Amino acid sequence: MRKIVVPTDFSDNAYNALVYACEIFKYERSEIYILHAYADEVYQLGNITDRKLLEAKKAEIEQRSAQSLKEVLEKIKAYSPNPRHSVSTIPAFGSLIDEVNDLVNRENIDIVVMGTRGAANDRSITFGSNTLMVMKYIQCPVLAIPENYKYHPPRELLFPTNYLIPYKRRELKLLCELTGSFRSNIHMLYIDPMKKPSLRQEDNKEFLKKELRKANLTFETTEEKDKTMAISKYIVHQNIDMLVMVNTRHSHLEDMLMPSTVNTLGLHIKIPFLILQNIPR
């Protein structure tokens, strides 16, 4: 049973991510949790010093949240009446990061799927602040879906790596099952070429081959020194459908999630972005 969290702020971007989640996991038995965390909405009402007034506003927003979630649930069930899927809603009084992480731990969630931008939809940025925080700190894989991205099967995936990271089996299994459903090709791109790979790199490469056995793997090297440029060029030239990266210290993604780099990357990347957190659970 695949367990999926889709945070929502009731924007079109959030609903588009929900549609993508239903489509990409349509072949798998899945539990989908649509989560709305509304604490910020309560505290942004102003400097409320009266506890009774705060509780009244909290109850009002909770009721509105529950009603909006009900409407989203009815809409997605009409769009995707998949008997393999069980969809439920969760209104939660808390911060988005805390509520998602609590749900991840409580329900042993496999993946979080969300839009790259929320209701504010600032077109001058690549990722909204909530999305960026989730990508950095949530303790399970995160799949970010660009605004207005129309679903089509992820047949070509790009996975940049230096083969120095000891990947986690659970997260690679998620990727393996996903690519197996669509008979996908995964392009393993080595951006930091050395004259000869170390034994550690060779071992990690063999581990990837074993764990991603359901996909067709191709191993390539680029002489491009700029990681962002190398990834952007490869996406365009190879018609890549999804970018896969790992969030860990000393990885490509750690450098690329700096705001200036992310915004540069966003000029070229208009495809789903899967972040593997690479932590044991």
Side-chain angles (χ1 to χ4, degrees), residues 9-216:
D9 57 4
F10 310 116
S11 64
D12 290 341
N13 291 336
Y15 182 73
N16 189 48
L18 177 59
V19 167
Y20 191 92
C22 289
E23 292 285 1
I24 201 169
F25 294 108
K26 61 186 174 184
Y27 301 118
E28 298 187 47
R29 290 178 62 245
S30 304
E31 289 185 13
I32 302 174
Y33 301 87
I34 308 173
L35 171 70
H36 177 62
Y38 59 89
D40 286 347
E41 296 173 49
V42 174
Y43 292 122
Q44 285 173 0
L45 292 173
N47 187 22
I48 299 177
T49 56
D50 185 279
R51 176 62 62 180
K52 289 184 179 179
L53 178 58
L54 179 66
E55 292 300 323
K57 290 295 184 181
K58 177 182 172 182
E60 177 185 332
I61 291 175
E62 181 179 13
Q63 184 176 9
R64 189 164 67 233
S65 172
Q67 178 59 35
S68 296
L69 283 169
K70 180 181 177 182
E71 293 170 4
V72 171
L73 181 62
E74 292 172 351
K75 186 177 179 181
I76 196 62
K77 283 188 172 181
Y79 171 83
S80 178
N82 191 334
R84 297 186 182 93
H85 290 175
S86 169
V87 187
S88 58
T89 61
I90 302 175
F93 179 68
S95 71
L96 177 64
I97 299 299
D98 288 343
E99 292 301 328
V100 173
N101 260 330
D102 286 348
L103 187 56
V104 165
N105 293 327
R106 186 168 67 247
E107 297 295 339
N108 199 21
I109 297 298
D110 294 299
I111 188 169
V112 175
V113 183
M114 66 187 301
T116 53
R117 292 196 292 265
N121 199 20
D122 185 348
R123 294 178 182 275
S124 66
I125 60 175
T126 302
F127 299 110
S129 57
N130 281 335
T131 306
L132 200 56
M133 292 288 284
V134 169
M135 292 164 73
K136 286 184 176 182
Y137 301 118
I138 294 302
Q139 298 175 6
C140 78
V142 177
L143 179 58
I145 311 302
E147 177 190 14
N148 297 325
Y149 183 82
K150 300 302 180 184
Y151 172 81
H152 64 90
R155 297 271 164 71
E156 304 292 332
L157 288 78
L158 174 60
F159 194 156
T161 179
N162 55 15
Y163 303 115
L164 291 173
I165 302 170
Y167 299 105
K168 301 303 178 187
R169 278 192 171 89
R170 173 172 177 157
E171 302 202 344
L172 291 180
K173 183 179 179 182
L174 170 72
L175 181 58
C176 181
E177 295 297 329
L178 178 64
T179 53
S181 297
F182 299 101
R183 299 180 181 177
S184 305
N185 301 312
I186 301 181
H187 302 254
M188 309 298 300
L189 183 63
Y190 185 33
I191 304 180
D192 296 326
M194 300 171 64
K195 291 182 179 179
K196 184 179 180 180
S198 67
L199 294 178
R200 177 184 179 184
Q201 288 172 306
E202 290 180 356
D203 288 345
N204 285 335
K205 187 174 180 179
E206 290 302 314
F207 181 71
L208 285 168
K209 288 180 182 179
K210 178 182 176 182
E211 296 300 318
L212 298 175
R213 58 191 177 279
K214 292 186 179 181
N216 177 33

Side-chain angles (χ1 to χ4, degrees), residues 224-234 264-265 268:
E224 179 72 55
K225 294 181 180 180
D226 187 313
K227 299 181 182 70
T228 304
M229 186 61 66
I231 291 169
S232 298
K233 284 181 178 179
Y234 200 96
T264 302
L265 189 66
H268 305 281

